[in-house]
Short mmCIF file of all heavy atoms in Angstrom, two decimals:
data_model
loop_
_atom_site.label_atom_id
_atom_site.label_comp_id
_atom_site.label_asym_id
_atom_site.label_seq_id
_atom_site.Cartn_x
_atom_site.Cartn_y
_atom_site.Cartn_z
N VAL D 29 47.03 3.80 24.78
CA VAL D 29 46.38 2.51 24.64
C VAL D 29 44.90 2.64 24.97
O VAL D 29 44.54 2.88 26.13
CB VAL D 29 47.03 1.47 25.57
CG1 VAL D 29 46.43 0.10 25.36
CG2 VAL D 29 48.54 1.44 25.41
N PRO D 30 44.01 2.49 23.97
CA PRO D 30 42.58 2.52 24.27
C PRO D 30 42.15 1.19 24.89
O PRO D 30 42.54 0.12 24.41
CB PRO D 30 41.92 2.73 22.90
CG PRO D 30 42.93 2.30 21.90
CD PRO D 30 44.28 2.39 22.54
N VAL D 31 41.38 1.28 25.96
CA VAL D 31 40.91 0.09 26.67
C VAL D 31 39.49 0.31 27.16
O VAL D 31 39.06 1.45 27.42
CB VAL D 31 41.82 -0.26 27.88
CG1 VAL D 31 43.20 -0.70 27.44
CG2 VAL D 31 41.93 0.90 28.84
N ALA D 32 38.75 -0.78 27.32
CA ALA D 32 37.43 -0.73 27.95
C ALA D 32 37.65 -0.67 29.46
O ALA D 32 38.60 -1.25 29.98
CB ALA D 32 36.62 -1.96 27.57
N TYR D 33 36.76 0.04 30.15
CA TYR D 33 36.90 0.13 31.60
C TYR D 33 35.55 0.02 32.28
O TYR D 33 34.50 0.15 31.67
CB TYR D 33 37.57 1.46 32.00
CG TYR D 33 36.68 2.67 31.81
CD1 TYR D 33 35.86 3.11 32.85
CD2 TYR D 33 36.64 3.35 30.61
CE1 TYR D 33 35.03 4.22 32.67
CE2 TYR D 33 35.83 4.45 30.42
CZ TYR D 33 35.02 4.88 31.46
OH TYR D 33 34.20 5.95 31.28
N THR D 34 35.62 -0.24 33.58
CA THR D 34 34.45 -0.31 34.45
C THR D 34 34.76 0.46 35.72
O THR D 34 35.87 0.36 36.24
CB THR D 34 34.15 -1.79 34.80
OG1 THR D 34 33.71 -2.46 33.62
CG2 THR D 34 33.08 -1.91 35.86
N ARG D 35 33.81 1.22 36.18
CA ARG D 35 33.95 1.87 37.48
C ARG D 35 33.46 0.89 38.55
O ARG D 35 32.37 0.33 38.42
CB ARG D 35 33.15 3.17 37.53
CG ARG D 35 33.69 4.22 36.58
CD ARG D 35 32.92 5.54 36.67
NE ARG D 35 33.40 6.47 35.66
CZ ARG D 35 34.45 7.26 35.78
NH1 ARG D 35 35.15 7.25 36.90
NH2 ARG D 35 34.81 8.08 34.80
N HIS D 36 34.29 0.70 39.59
CA HIS D 36 33.96 -0.28 40.63
C HIS D 36 34.57 0.14 41.95
O HIS D 36 35.79 0.29 42.05
CB HIS D 36 34.48 -1.66 40.20
CG HIS D 36 34.22 -2.75 41.18
ND1 HIS D 36 32.97 -3.29 41.36
CD2 HIS D 36 35.05 -3.40 42.02
CE1 HIS D 36 33.05 -4.23 42.28
NE2 HIS D 36 34.30 -4.32 42.69
N ASP D 37 33.73 0.34 42.95
CA ASP D 37 34.19 0.70 44.30
C ASP D 37 35.15 1.89 44.30
O ASP D 37 36.16 1.89 44.99
CB ASP D 37 34.86 -0.50 44.99
CG ASP D 37 33.86 -1.61 45.33
OD1 ASP D 37 32.64 -1.34 45.37
OD2 ASP D 37 34.31 -2.76 45.56
N GLY D 38 34.85 2.90 43.50
CA GLY D 38 35.66 4.11 43.46
C GLY D 38 36.90 4.03 42.59
O GLY D 38 37.65 5.00 42.48
N ASP D 39 37.15 2.89 42.00
CA ASP D 39 38.31 2.70 41.14
C ASP D 39 37.87 2.49 39.70
O ASP D 39 36.70 2.27 39.42
CB ASP D 39 39.13 1.48 41.58
CG ASP D 39 39.82 1.69 42.92
OD1 ASP D 39 40.26 2.83 43.19
OD2 ASP D 39 39.92 0.72 43.68
N ILE D 40 38.84 2.50 38.80
CA ILE D 40 38.64 2.16 37.40
C ILE D 40 39.29 0.79 37.20
O ILE D 40 40.45 0.59 37.58
CB ILE D 40 39.32 3.19 36.46
CG1 ILE D 40 38.81 4.59 36.71
CG2 ILE D 40 39.19 2.77 35.01
CD1 ILE D 40 37.35 4.81 36.41
N LEU D 41 38.54 -0.16 36.65
CA LEU D 41 39.08 -1.49 36.38
C LEU D 41 39.21 -1.70 34.88
O LEU D 41 38.31 -1.35 34.11
CB LEU D 41 38.14 -2.58 36.93
CG LEU D 41 37.88 -2.57 38.42
CD1 LEU D 41 36.90 -3.69 38.78
CD2 LEU D 41 39.17 -2.71 39.22
N VAL D 42 40.32 -2.28 34.49
CA VAL D 42 40.57 -2.63 33.10
C VAL D 42 41.03 -4.08 33.09
O VAL D 42 42.02 -4.43 33.75
CB VAL D 42 41.68 -1.74 32.48
CG1 VAL D 42 42.03 -2.21 31.08
CG2 VAL D 42 41.26 -0.28 32.49
N GLY D 43 40.30 -4.92 32.38
CA GLY D 43 40.71 -6.30 32.21
C GLY D 43 41.38 -6.43 30.85
O GLY D 43 40.84 -5.98 29.85
N THR D 44 42.57 -7.02 30.82
CA THR D 44 43.30 -7.13 29.56
C THR D 44 44.23 -8.33 29.59
O THR D 44 44.58 -8.83 30.67
CB THR D 44 44.11 -5.84 29.28
OG1 THR D 44 44.70 -5.90 27.99
CG2 THR D 44 45.17 -5.60 30.33
N ALA D 45 44.63 -8.75 28.41
CA ALA D 45 45.68 -9.76 28.32
C ALA D 45 46.98 -9.09 28.75
O ALA D 45 47.10 -7.87 28.74
CB ALA D 45 45.79 -10.28 26.89
N LYS D 46 47.94 -9.88 29.13
CA LYS D 46 49.22 -9.31 29.58
C LYS D 46 50.06 -8.93 28.37
O LYS D 46 51.02 -9.60 28.01
CB LYS D 46 49.96 -10.28 30.49
CG LYS D 46 51.13 -9.63 31.13
CD LYS D 46 51.48 -10.26 32.42
CE LYS D 46 52.77 -9.69 32.89
NZ LYS D 46 52.82 -8.88 33.95
N HIS D 47 49.67 -7.82 27.72
CA HIS D 47 50.39 -7.27 26.58
C HIS D 47 51.72 -6.69 27.05
O HIS D 47 51.87 -6.34 28.22
CB HIS D 47 49.58 -6.15 25.92
CG HIS D 47 48.27 -6.60 25.38
ND1 HIS D 47 48.15 -7.39 24.27
CD2 HIS D 47 47.00 -6.37 25.80
CE1 HIS D 47 46.88 -7.62 24.03
NE2 HIS D 47 46.16 -7.02 24.94
N PRO D 48 52.69 -6.53 26.15
CA PRO D 48 53.97 -5.94 26.56
C PRO D 48 53.83 -4.58 27.25
O PRO D 48 54.56 -4.29 28.19
CB PRO D 48 54.74 -5.83 25.24
CG PRO D 48 54.19 -6.92 24.40
CD PRO D 48 52.72 -7.00 24.76
N TRP D 49 52.87 -3.75 26.83
CA TRP D 49 52.72 -2.43 27.43
C TRP D 49 52.32 -2.51 28.89
O TRP D 49 52.59 -1.59 29.67
CB TRP D 49 51.76 -1.53 26.65
CG TRP D 49 50.35 -2.06 26.53
CD1 TRP D 49 49.82 -2.74 25.48
CD2 TRP D 49 49.29 -1.91 27.48
NE1 TRP D 49 48.51 -3.05 25.72
CE2 TRP D 49 48.15 -2.55 26.95
CE3 TRP D 49 49.18 -1.31 28.73
CZ2 TRP D 49 46.94 -2.61 27.60
CZ3 TRP D 49 47.96 -1.37 29.40
CH2 TRP D 49 46.87 -2.00 28.84
N VAL D 50 51.71 -3.62 29.31
CA VAL D 50 51.28 -3.77 30.71
C VAL D 50 52.49 -3.77 31.64
O VAL D 50 52.42 -3.27 32.77
CB VAL D 50 50.42 -5.04 30.90
CG1 VAL D 50 50.14 -5.31 32.37
CG2 VAL D 50 49.12 -4.92 30.12
N SER D 51 53.62 -4.29 31.18
CA SER D 51 54.81 -4.34 32.04
C SER D 51 55.34 -2.95 32.36
O SER D 51 56.17 -2.79 33.27
CB SER D 51 55.91 -5.19 31.39
OG SER D 51 56.35 -4.60 30.20
N ASN D 52 54.88 -1.93 31.65
CA ASN D 52 55.29 -0.55 31.94
C ASN D 52 54.47 0.07 33.06
O ASN D 52 54.78 1.18 33.51
CB ASN D 52 55.17 0.31 30.68
CG ASN D 52 56.18 -0.11 29.64
OD1 ASN D 52 57.35 -0.27 29.93
ND2 ASN D 52 55.71 -0.30 28.42
#
C-alpha cells in the first residue's frame, strides 16, 4: 500500500481513511 508519510518525533506518521487494509 503506497501512502504519504511524515517524519515526526522519531516516528513515521501516516494519515489515512480507515480502509479495510488498516484493520490488518
Side-chain angles (χ1 to χ4, degrees):
V29 185
V31 293
Y33 72 91
T34 292
R35 293 183 186 276
H36 179 73
D37 292 341
D39 291 324
I40 303 296
L41 300 178
V42 174
T44 186
K46 190 153 172 110
H47 298 289
W49 60 263
V50 172
S51 64
N52 292 312

